[in-house]
Amino acid sequence: MKLFLKYLKILLKSQLQYRTSFILLCLGQFFIPFFVFAGMYFMFQRFNNIAGWNFYEVMLCFGIIHISFSLSECFARGFDSFSNLIRTGNFDRILVRPRGTIVQVIGSRFEFTRIGRLLQSIIVLIWALTNISIDFDLPKIIILILMIISGIFIFSGIFILAATLCFWTIQSLEIAKILTDGGREMFQYPLGIYKKWVKNFFTFVVPFGCVNYYPLMYLLDKNNSNNILYIISPILGILFIIPCLLVWRIGVGHYKSTGS
């Protein structure tokens, strides 16, 4: 943890060297999801609800998934750009250090400009919460926090899986963006609006449904069956990181230097 905080401090200082550029990039990140949000707003002006979900309920999905994605992009960016370490041979340097590869790869890059996207998502989330009648108590607050954490773990897990492929392909594969960018776009809407096979895939294989859909069904009193399954669903999303880390270890074991 101490090493992680040192990486955090060093990279923050380096990015703040060019403050104007940093501020403009943050503003850009603020407006990217803003226009997506504006599109959704005008769509709900035309249609009152989607499959029984009103505008503010969908905005809860939007806020949670975008907060999770922006935090994951900020802190797991090292995995997203991991192919550079492989291609330049810099991963050799990481392997000879007396520290874990996970911490070092994470610490190789942080993308603090994602603060702009994070800020916009927090505003949307607060706006939605203030317009929905939810009787919040301590367990519900914990569930809401777990939903965001679950999303961070799922997105980070996908970044790790994509980085692991680089041990064999050298270059990064854009296919991973199907689940990162694509997952973010799909799950700003509730999972229930999609077909059954999509629902099953994103529940049992890549558990994006555990980030917002199932726990929100409980928070919004939309569930008709056992509450426990809806309550613990964010924990299942967090557990997704375990097989991803195991796959990473297998990838490290098969690493062959490019000799750069």
Side-chain angles (χ1 to χ4, degrees):
M1 193 62 189
K2 194 175 176 181
L3 179 64
F4 178 81
L5 292 174
K6 276 190 176 178
Y7 280 134
L8 203 67
K9 188 177 176 183
I10 291 168
L11 289 171
L12 178 61
K13 281 185 176 178
S14 69
Q15 291 183 30
L16 288 176
Q17 284 287 315
Y18 305 98
R19 293 192 180 183
T20 304
S21 171
F22 180 81
I23 292 168
L24 289 175
L25 285 170
C26 287
L27 278 175
Q29 287 296 323
F30 180 90
F31 282 108
I32 289 172
F34 175 79
F35 287 114
V36 176
F37 166 76
M40 293 174 73
Y41 175 79
F42 290 121
M43 183 179 70
F44 274 93
Q45 294 296 306
R46 184 77 172 81
F47 306 101
N48 290 327
N49 67 76
I50 297 177
W53 291 70
N54 65 34
F55 174 68
Y56 294 109
E57 290 169 347
V58 174
M59 285 305 99
L60 271 183
C61 294
F62 178 96
I64 290 166
I65 203 76
H66 278 269
I67 289 174
S68 302
F69 183 73
S70 55
L71 286 171
S72 181
E73 260 208 321
C74 178
F75 294 108
R77 191 68 173 172
F79 285 105
D80 197 27
S81 57
F82 180 68
S83 62
N84 290 331
L85 291 176
I86 292 284
R87 198 172 55 252
T88 58
N90 281 327
F91 190 66
D92 297 13
R93 189 157 44 88
I94 286 177
L95 285 176
V96 297
R97 290 173 180 167
R99 298 289 182 182
T101 54
I102 294 285
V103 176
Q104 292 188 74
V105 173
I106 287 177
S108 65
R109 188 173 177 185
F110 295 115
E111 200 65 68
F112 292 104
T113 57
R114 296 304 188 265
I115 290 171
R117 181 190 291 268
L118 176 65
L119 180 62
Q120 196 266 347
S121 307
I122 290 173
I123 292 171
V124 170
L125 181 68
I126 293 173
W127 187 37
L129 286 173
T130 54
N131 284 280
I132 294 177
S133 178
I134 300 177
D135 294 326
F136 272 107
D137 51 17
L138 184 59
K140 287 187 177 179
I141 292 171
I142 292 172
I143 289 170
L144 188 62
I145 294 170
L146 280 177
M147 289 161 68
I148 294 171
I149 295 172
S150 175
I152 296 169
F153 273 74
I154 292 174
F155 280 119
S156 300
I158 295 169
F159 282 135
I160 291 172
L161 288 177
T164 304
L165 288 175
C166 295
F167 288 119
W168 289 275
T169 63
I170 309 298
Q171 289 283 357
S172 64
L173 299 177
E174 294 295 319
I175 192 170
K177 294 196 181 297
I178 293 173
L179 292 176
T180 52
D181 294 347
R184 182 198 64 212
E185 294 298 318
M186 278 189 75
F187 293 97
Q188 58 195 12
Y189 297 95
L191 180 60
I193 69 172
Y194 301 111
K195 288 186 177 292
K196 188 177 179 182
W197 70 267
V198 177
K199 194 173 171 180
N200 288 335
F201 180 82
F202 287 108
T203 298
F204 301 108
V205 181
V206 184
F208 272 117
C210 300
V211 175
N212 54 20
Y213 180 65
Y214 295 111
L216 274 183
M217 292 278 282
Y218 167 72
L219 293 180
L220 299 171
D221 295 323
K222 288 178 176 286
N223 58 311
N224 297 316
S225 55
N226 194 344
N227 280 339
I228 295 297
L229 293 176
Y230 292 88
I231 292 170
I232 65 170
S233 59
I235 297 172
L236 298 178
I238 293 170
L239 295 178
F240 177 74
I241 197 77
I242 295 175
C244 299
L245 292 175
L246 292 175
V247 172
W248 170 261
R249 288 190 64 176
I250 293 170
V252 172
H254 286 79
Y255 170 66
K256 290 180 181 176
S257 175
T258 57
S260 301

